[in-house]
Amino acid sequence: MPIAVDIDVMLAKRKMSVGELADRVGITPANLAVLKNGRAKAVRFATLAALCEVLECQPGDLLRWEADGTAAG
């Protein structure tokens, strides 16, 4: 998938755990892990908005496109 997910980067910058982020966003840690590891097929805009609100960032800070399709995740 050419979309890379950089939630780990923002978690490190905010010194926040996956569990804390999941609680504050209102999703399960398992579902957050699927998204964080790049295995999600889709993400709801409401979830993306909640992630951005909690992490105080823009969607582009969490998602990026890689032309060669070798996105880590």
Coordinates of all heavy atoms in Angstrom, one line a residue:
M1 N 0.9 -1.2 0.0 CA 0.0 0.0 0.0 C 0.9 1.2 0.0 O 1.8 1.3 0.8 CB -0.9 0.0 1.2 CG -1.6 1.2 1.5 SD -3.2 1.5 0.7 CE -4.2 0.1 1.2
P2 N 0.6 2.2 -0.9 CA 1.5 3.3 -1.0 C 1.2 4.4 0.1 O 1.8 5.5 0.1 CB 1.2 3.9 -2.3 CG -0.1 3.4 -2.7 CD -0.3 2.1 -2.0
I3 N 0.3 4.1 1.0 CA 0.0 5.1 2.1 C 0.8 4.6 3.4 O 0.6 3.5 3.8 CB -1.5 5.2 2.4 CG1 -2.3 5.6 1.2 CG2 -1.8 6.1 3.6 CD1 -2.0 7.0 0.7
A4 N 1.6 5.5 3.9 CA 2.3 5.2 5.1 C 1.6 5.9 6.3 O 1.1 7.0 6.1 CB 3.8 5.7 5.0
V5 N 1.6 5.2 7.4 CA 1.0 5.7 8.6 C 2.0 6.1 9.6 O 2.8 5.2 10.0 CB 0.0 4.7 9.2 CG1 -0.7 5.3 10.4 CG2 -1.1 4.3 8.1
D6 N 2.1 7.3 10.1 CA 3.1 7.8 11.0 C 2.6 8.1 12.4 O 3.0 9.0 13.0 CB 3.8 9.1 10.4 CG 4.6 8.8 9.2 OD1 5.1 7.7 9.1 OD2 4.6 9.6 8.3
I7 N 1.6 7.3 12.8 CA 1.1 7.5 14.2 C 2.2 7.4 15.2 O 2.2 8.1 16.2 CB -0.1 6.6 14.5 CG1 -1.3 7.0 13.6 CG2 -0.5 6.6 15.9 CD1 -2.5 6.1 13.7
D8 N 3.1 6.4 15.0 CA 4.2 6.2 16.0 C 5.0 7.5 16.2 O 5.4 7.8 17.3 CB 5.1 5.1 15.5 CG 4.5 3.7 15.6 OD1 3.6 3.5 16.5 OD2 5.0 2.8 15.0
V9 N 5.2 8.2 15.1 CA 6.0 9.4 15.1 C 5.4 10.4 16.1 O 6.0 11.0 16.9 CB 6.3 10.0 13.7 CG1 7.0 11.3 13.8 CG2 7.1 9.0 12.9
M10 N 4.0 10.6 15.8 CA 3.3 11.6 16.6 C 3.2 11.1 18.1 O 3.3 11.9 19.0 CB 1.9 11.8 16.0 CG 2.0 12.6 14.7 SD 2.9 14.1 14.7 CE 2.0 15.1 15.9
L11 N 3.0 9.8 18.3 CA 3.0 9.3 19.7 C 4.3 9.6 20.4 O 4.3 10.0 21.6 CB 2.7 7.8 19.7 CG 1.3 7.3 19.5 CD1 1.3 5.8 19.3 CD2 0.4 7.8 20.6
A12 N 5.4 9.4 19.7 CA 6.7 9.7 20.3 C 6.9 11.2 20.6 O 7.3 11.6 21.7 CB 7.8 9.2 19.4
K13 N 6.5 12.0 19.7 CA 6.6 13.5 19.9 C 5.7 13.9 21.0 O 6.1 14.9 21.7 CB 6.1 14.2 18.6 CG 7.1 14.2 17.5 CD 6.7 15.0 16.3 CE 7.7 14.9 15.2 NZ 7.2 15.7 14.0
R14 N 4.6 13.3 21.2 CA 3.6 13.7 22.3 C 3.9 12.9 23.6 O 3.2 13.2 24.6 CB 2.2 13.5 21.9 CG 1.8 14.3 20.6 CD 1.9 15.8 20.8 NE 1.4 16.5 19.6 CZ 2.1 17.1 18.7 NH1 3.5 17.2 18.9 NH2 1.6 17.8 17.7
K15 N 4.8 12.0 23.6 CA 5.1 11.2 24.7 C 3.9 10.5 25.3 O 3.6 10.6 26.5 CB 5.8 12.0 25.8 CG 7.2 12.5 25.4 CD 7.9 13.3 26.5 CE 9.3 13.6 26.2 NZ 9.6 14.6 25.3
M16 N 3.1 9.9 24.4 CA 1.9 9.3 24.7 C 1.9 7.8 24.3 O 2.5 7.4 23.3 CB 0.8 10.0 23.9 CG -0.7 9.6 24.3 SD -1.9 10.4 23.3 CE -1.6 12.1 23.7
S17 N 1.3 6.9 25.1 CA 1.2 5.5 24.8 C 0.1 5.2 23.9 O -0.9 6.0 23.7 CB 1.0 4.7 26.1 OG -0.3 4.9 26.6
V18 N 0.1 4.0 23.2 CA -0.9 3.6 22.4 C -2.2 3.4 23.2 O -3.3 3.8 22.7 CB -0.6 2.2 21.7 CG1 -1.7 1.7 20.9 CG2 0.6 2.4 20.8
G19 N -2.1 2.9 24.4 CA -3.3 2.7 25.2 C -4.0 4.0 25.5 O -5.2 4.2 25.5
E20 N -3.2 5.0 25.9 CA -3.7 6.4 26.2 C -4.4 7.0 25.0 O -5.5 7.5 25.1 CB -2.6 7.3 26.7 CG -3.1 8.7 27.1 CD -2.1 9.6 27.6 OE1 -0.9 9.2 27.7 OE2 -2.4 10.8 27.7
L21 N -3.7 6.9 23.8 CA -4.3 7.4 22.6 C -5.6 6.7 22.3 O -6.6 7.4 22.0 CB -3.4 7.3 21.4 CG -3.9 7.9 20.1 CD1 -4.2 9.3 20.2 CD2 -2.8 7.6 19.0
A22 N -5.7 5.4 22.4 CA -6.9 4.7 22.1 C -8.0 5.1 23.0 O -9.2 5.4 22.6 CB -6.6 3.2 22.2
D23 N -7.7 5.3 24.3 CA -8.7 5.7 25.3 C -9.3 7.1 24.9 O -10.5 7.3 25.0 CB -8.2 5.7 26.7 CG -8.0 4.4 27.3 OD1 -8.6 3.4 26.8 OD2 -7.3 4.2 28.3
R24 N -8.4 8.0 24.6 CA -8.8 9.4 24.4 C -9.5 9.5 23.1 O -10.3 10.4 22.9 CB -7.5 10.3 24.4 CG -7.0 10.4 25.9 CD -5.8 11.3 26.0 NE -6.1 12.6 25.6 CZ -5.1 13.6 25.6 NH1 -3.9 13.3 25.9 NH2 -5.5 14.8 25.2
V25 N -9.2 8.7 22.1 CA -9.9 8.7 20.8 C -11.2 8.0 20.8 O -12.1 8.3 20.1 CB -8.9 8.2 19.7 CG1 -9.7 8.0 18.4 CG2 -7.7 9.1 19.5
G26 N -11.3 7.0 21.7 CA -12.5 6.2 21.8 C -12.5 5.0 20.9 O -13.6 4.6 20.4
I27 N -11.3 4.4 20.6 CA -11.3 3.2 19.8 C -10.5 2.1 20.6 O -9.8 2.5 21.6 CB -10.6 3.4 18.4 CG1 -9.2 3.9 18.5 CG2 -11.4 4.3 17.6 CD1 -8.5 4.0 17.2
T28 N -10.6 0.9 20.3 CA -9.9 -0.2 21.0 C -8.4 -0.1 20.7 O -8.0 0.3 19.6 CB -10.4 -1.6 20.7 OG1 -10.1 -1.9 19.3 CG2 -11.9 -1.7 20.9
P29 N -7.5 -0.5 21.6 CA -6.1 -0.6 21.3 C -5.8 -1.5 20.1 O -4.9 -1.2 19.3 CB -5.5 -1.1 22.6 CG -6.4 -0.7 23.7 CD -7.8 -0.8 23.0
A30 N -6.6 -2.6 20.0 CA -6.4 -3.5 18.8 C -6.7 -2.8 17.5 O -5.9 -2.9 16.5 CB -7.3 -4.7 19.0
N31 N -7.8 -2.0 17.4 CA -8.1 -1.3 16.2 C -7.0 -0.2 15.9 O -6.7 0.1 14.8 CB -9.5 -0.7 16.2 CG -10.5 -1.7 16.0 OD1 -10.3 -2.8 15.5 ND2 -11.8 -1.4 16.5
L32 N -6.6 0.5 17.0 CA -5.5 1.5 16.8 C -4.2 0.8 16.3 O -3.6 1.4 15.4 CB -5.2 2.2 18.1 CG -4.2 3.3 18.0 CD1 -4.5 4.4 16.9 CD2 -4.0 4.0 19.3
A33 N -3.9 -0.4 16.8 CA -2.7 -1.1 16.3 C -2.8 -1.5 14.8 O -1.9 -1.3 14.1 CB -2.5 -2.3 17.1
V34 N -4.0 -1.9 14.4 CA -4.2 -2.2 13.0 C -4.0 -0.9 12.1 O -3.3 -1.0 11.1 CB -5.7 -2.7 12.7 CG1 -6.0 -2.8 11.2 CG2 -5.8 -4.1 13.3
L35 N -4.5 0.2 12.5 CA -4.3 1.4 11.8 C -2.8 1.9 11.9 O -2.2 2.2 10.8 CB -5.1 2.5 12.4 CG -5.0 3.9 11.8 CD1 -5.3 3.9 10.3 CD2 -5.9 4.9 12.5
K36 N -2.2 1.8 13.1 CA -0.8 2.2 13.3 C 0.2 1.4 12.5 O 1.1 1.9 12.0 CB -0.5 2.1 14.8 CG 0.8 2.6 15.2 CD 1.0 2.6 16.7 CE 1.1 1.2 17.3 NZ 2.4 0.6 17.0
N37 N -0.1 0.1 12.3 CA 0.8 -0.8 11.6 C 0.5 -0.8 10.1 O 1.1 -1.6 9.4 CB 0.7 -2.2 12.2 CG 1.3 -2.2 13.6 OD1 2.2 -1.4 13.9 ND2 0.6 -2.9 14.5
G38 N -0.4 0.0 9.6 CA -0.6 0.1 8.2 C -1.4 -1.1 7.6 O -1.4 -1.3 6.4
R39 N -2.1 -1.8 8.5 CA -2.9 -2.9 8.0 C -4.4 -2.6 7.7 O -5.1 -3.4 7.3 CB -2.8 -4.1 9.0 CG -1.4 -4.7 9.1 CD -1.4 -5.9 9.9 NE -2.1 -5.9 11.1 CZ -1.6 -5.6 12.3 NH1 -0.4 -5.4 12.5 NH2 -2.4 -5.6 13.4
A40 N -4.8 -1.3 8.1 CA -6.2 -0.9 7.9 C -6.5 -0.7 6.4 O -5.6 -0.2 5.7 CB -6.5 0.4 8.7
K41 N -7.7 -1.1 6.0 CA -8.1 -0.9 4.6 C -8.8 0.5 4.5 O -8.9 1.0 3.4 CB -9.1 -2.0 4.2 CG -8.5 -3.3 4.2 CD -7.5 -3.5 3.2 CE -6.9 -5.0 3.2 NZ -5.6 -5.1 2.6
A42 N -9.3 1.1 5.6 CA -10.0 2.3 5.6 C -9.9 3.0 6.9 O -9.6 2.3 7.9 CB -11.4 2.1 5.2
V43 N -10.1 4.3 7.0 CA -10.2 5.0 8.3 C -11.3 6.0 8.1 O -11.5 6.7 7.1 CB -8.9 5.7 8.6 CG1 -8.4 6.7 7.6 CG2 -9.0 6.3 10.0
R44 N -12.2 6.0 9.1 CA -13.3 7.0 9.1 C -12.7 8.4 9.4 O -11.8 8.6 10.1 CB -14.3 6.7 10.2 CG -15.1 5.4 10.0 CD -16.0 5.1 11.2 NE -16.6 3.9 11.1 CZ -17.9 3.7 10.6 NH1 -18.5 4.8 10.3 NH2 -18.4 2.5 10.5
F45 N -13.4 9.4 8.7 CA -12.9 10.7 8.9 C -13.1 11.1 10.4 O -12.3 11.9 10.9 CB -13.7 11.7 8.0 CG -13.2 11.7 6.6 CD1 -14.1 12.0 5.5 CD2 -11.8 11.6 6.3 CE1 -13.6 12.0 4.2 CE2 -11.4 11.6 5.0 CZ -12.3 11.8 4.0
A46 N -14.2 10.6 11.0 CA -14.4 10.9 12.4 C -13.2 10.4 13.3 O -12.8 11.1 14.2 CB -15.7 10.3 12.9
T47 N -12.7 9.2 13.0 CA -11.6 8.7 13.7 C -10.3 9.5 13.4 O -9.5 9.9 14.3 CB -11.3 7.2 13.3 OG1 -12.5 6.5 13.6 CG2 -10.1 6.6 14.1
L48 N -10.1 9.9 12.1 CA -9.0 10.7 11.8 C -9.0 12.1 12.5 O -8.0 12.5 13.0 CB -8.9 10.9 10.2 CG -7.7 11.6 9.7 CD1 -6.4 11.0 10.1 CD2 -7.8 11.7 8.2
A49 N -10.2 12.6 12.5 CA -10.4 13.9 13.2 C -10.1 13.8 14.7 O -9.4 14.7 15.2 CB -11.8 14.5 13.0
A50 N -10.5 12.7 15.3 CA -10.3 12.5 16.7 C -8.8 12.3 17.0 O -8.3 12.9 18.0 CB -11.1 11.3 17.2
L51 N -8.1 11.6 16.1 CA -6.7 11.4 16.3 C -6.0 12.7 16.2 O -5.1 13.0 17.0 CB -6.1 10.4 15.2 CG -6.5 9.0 15.3 CD1 -6.2 8.2 14.1 CD2 -5.7 8.4 16.5
C52 N -6.3 13.5 15.2 CA -5.7 14.9 15.0 C -6.0 15.8 16.2 O -5.1 16.5 16.7 CB -6.2 15.5 13.7 SG -5.6 14.7 12.2
E53 N -7.2 15.7 16.7 CA -7.5 16.5 17.9 C -6.7 16.2 19.1 O -6.1 17.0 19.8 CB -9.0 16.4 18.2 CG -9.4 17.3 19.4 CD -10.9 17.2 19.7 OE1 -11.7 16.5 18.9 OE2 -11.3 17.8 20.7
V54 N -6.6 14.8 19.4 CA -5.9 14.4 20.6 C -4.4 14.6 20.4 O -3.7 15.0 21.4 CB -6.2 12.9 20.8 CG1 -5.2 12.3 21.9 CG2 -7.6 12.7 21.2
L55 N -3.9 14.4 19.2 CA -2.4 14.5 19.0 C -2.0 15.9 18.6 O -0.8 16.2 18.4 CB -2.0 13.5 17.9 CG -2.1 12.1 18.3 CD1 -1.8 11.2 17.1 CD2 -1.1 11.7 19.4
E56 N -3.0 16.8 18.4 CA -2.8 18.2 18.1 C -1.9 18.3 16.8 O -0.8 18.9 16.8 CB -2.2 19.0 19.2 CG -3.0 19.0 20.5 CD -2.4 19.7 21.6 OE1 -1.2 20.1 21.6 OE2 -3.1 20.0 22.6
C57 N -2.5 17.7 15.7 CA -1.7 17.6 14.5 C -2.7 17.7 13.3 O -3.9 17.8 13.5 CB -0.9 16.4 14.4 SG -1.9 14.8 14.3
Q58 N -2.1 17.7 12.1 CA -2.9 17.7 10.9 C -2.9 16.3 10.3 O -2.0 15.5 10.6 CB -2.3 18.6 9.9 CG -2.3 20.1 10.3 CD -3.8 20.6 10.3 OE1 -4.6 20.4 9.4 NE2 -4.1 21.3 11.4
P59 N -3.9 15.9 9.5 CA -4.0 14.6 8.9 C -2.7 14.2 8.2 O -2.2 13.1 8.2 CB -5.2 14.7 7.9 CG -6.1 15.7 8.5 CD -5.1 16.7 9.1
G60 N -2.1 15.2 7.5 CA -0.8 15.0 6.8 C 0.4 14.6 7.7 O 1.4 14.1 7.3
D61 N 0.2 14.8 9.0 CA 1.2 14.4 10.0 C 1.1 12.9 10.3 O 2.1 12.3 10.8 CB 1.1 15.2 11.3 CG 1.3 16.7 11.1 OD1 2.2 17.1 10.3 OD2 0.7 17.5 11.8
L62 N -0.1 12.4 10.0 CA -0.3 11.0 10.3 C -0.3 10.1 9.1 O 0.0 8.9 9.2 CB -1.7 10.8 11.0 CG -1.9 11.6 12.3 CD1 -3.4 11.4 12.8 CD2 -0.9 11.2 13.3
L63 N -0.6 10.6 8.0 CA -0.7 9.8 6.7 C 0.2 10.5 5.6 O 0.1 11.7 5.5 CB -2.1 9.7 6.2 CG -3.1 9.2 7.2 CD1 -4.6 9.3 6.6 CD2 -2.8 7.7 7.5
R64 N 0.9 9.7 4.9 CA 1.6 10.2 3.7 C 1.6 9.2 2.6 O 1.5 8.0 2.8 CB 3.0 10.6 4.1 CG 3.9 9.5 4.5 CD 5.2 10.1 5.1 NE 5.8 9.1 6.0 CZ 6.5 8.0 5.6 NH1 6.7 7.8 4.4 NH2 6.9 7.2 6.5
W65 N 1.7 9.7 1.4 CA 1.7 8.8 0.2 C 3.2 8.6 -0.2 O 4.0 9.6 -0.3 CB 1.0 9.5 -0.9 CG 0.9 8.7 -2.2 CD1 0.2 7.6 -2.4 CD2 1.6 9.0 -3.4 NE1 0.4 7.2 -3.7 CE2 1.3 8.1 -4.3 CE3 2.5 10.1 -3.8 CZ2 1.8 8.1 -5.6 CZ3 2.9 10.1 -5.1 CH2 2.6 9.1 -5.9
E66 N 3.5 7.4 -0.5 CA 4.9 7.0 -1.0 C 4.7 6.5 -2.4 O 4.0 5.4 -2.6 CB 5.6 6.0 -0.1 CG 5.9 6.6 1.2 CD 6.8 5.7 2.1 OE1 6.9 4.6 1.7 OE2 7.3 6.2 3.1
A67 N 5.3 7.1 -3.4 CA 5.0 6.8 -4.8 C 5.4 5.3 -5.2 O 4.8 4.7 -6.0 CB 5.8 7.7 -5.7
D68 N 6.5 4.8 -4.6 CA 6.9 3.5 -5.0 C 6.1 2.3 -4.3 O 6.4 1.2 -4.6 CB 8.4 3.3 -4.8 CG 8.8 3.4 -3.3 OD1 7.9 3.6 -2.4 OD2 10.0 3.4 -3.0
G69 N 5.2 2.7 -3.4 CA 4.4 1.6 -2.7 C 5.2 0.8 -1.7 O 4.7 -0.2 -1.3
T70 N 6.3 1.3 -1.2 CA 7.1 0.6 -0.2 C 6.9 1.2 1.2 O 7.9 1.2 1.9 CB 8.6 0.5 -0.6 OG1 9.1 1.8 -0.7 CG2 8.8 -0.2 -1.9
A71 N 5.8 1.7 1.5 CA 5.5 2.3 2.8 C 5.8 1.3 3.9 O 5.3 0.2 3.8 CB 4.1 2.9 2.8
A72 N 6.5 1.8 4.9 CA 6.8 0.9 6.0 C 5.5 0.8 6.8 O 4.7 1.8 6.9 CB 7.9 1.5 6.9
G73 N 5.3 -0.3 7.5 CA 4.1 -0.4 8.3 C 3.7 -1.7 8.5 O 3.4 -2.6 8.7

